[in-house]
Amino acid sequence: MPTALWIANVHVTDEAAYKEYASRATGAIADHGGVFLARAGKHEQLEGRDRARNVVARFPSLQAAHDCYHSDAYQAALDFARGASERDLVIVEEFEA
């Protein structure tokens, strides 16, 4: 079964609220087998809209990534990001070579 990635591009508008979101979301993501591959590190914007915070997390499956997003724990964390950020988030199934 292929793994899946959450890819998020974020512009934070309220640092304190977003920090609370990140703290709470980390546990929810781990509870669904998610691990961070990139989290707000250095980046180079080549095309499209530049957002300072870019996050990639790997999940054991597309279903696990989906279930995490829709879980009570993640939705509770997400309440802190709403109004504190502009975000794009996509789940992408990884290619199996």
Side-chain angles (χ1 to χ4, degrees), residues 4-71:
L5 301 174
W6 270 16
I7 303 171
N9 306 103
V10 185
H11 170 68
V12 176
T13 57
D14 180 337
E15 290 288 340
Y18 202 81
K19 184 176 181 179
E20 184 65 25
Y21 154 77
S23 174
R24 292 171 183 246
T26 297
I29 289 167
D31 288 347
H32 288 85
V35 295
F36 289 100
L37 303 178
R39 198 169 187 185
K42 292 180 183 178
H43 74 282
E44 178 182 356
Q45 185 69 31
L46 299 176
E47 294 184 25
R49 177 179 32 205
D50 187 21
R51 292 189 168 163
R53 188 172 181 89
N54 298 284
V55 180
V56 179
R58 176 178 284 131
F59 288 84
S61 67
L62 189 67
Q63 188 64 52
H66 170 89
D67 291 348
C68 179
Y69 184 84
H70 294 284
S71 71

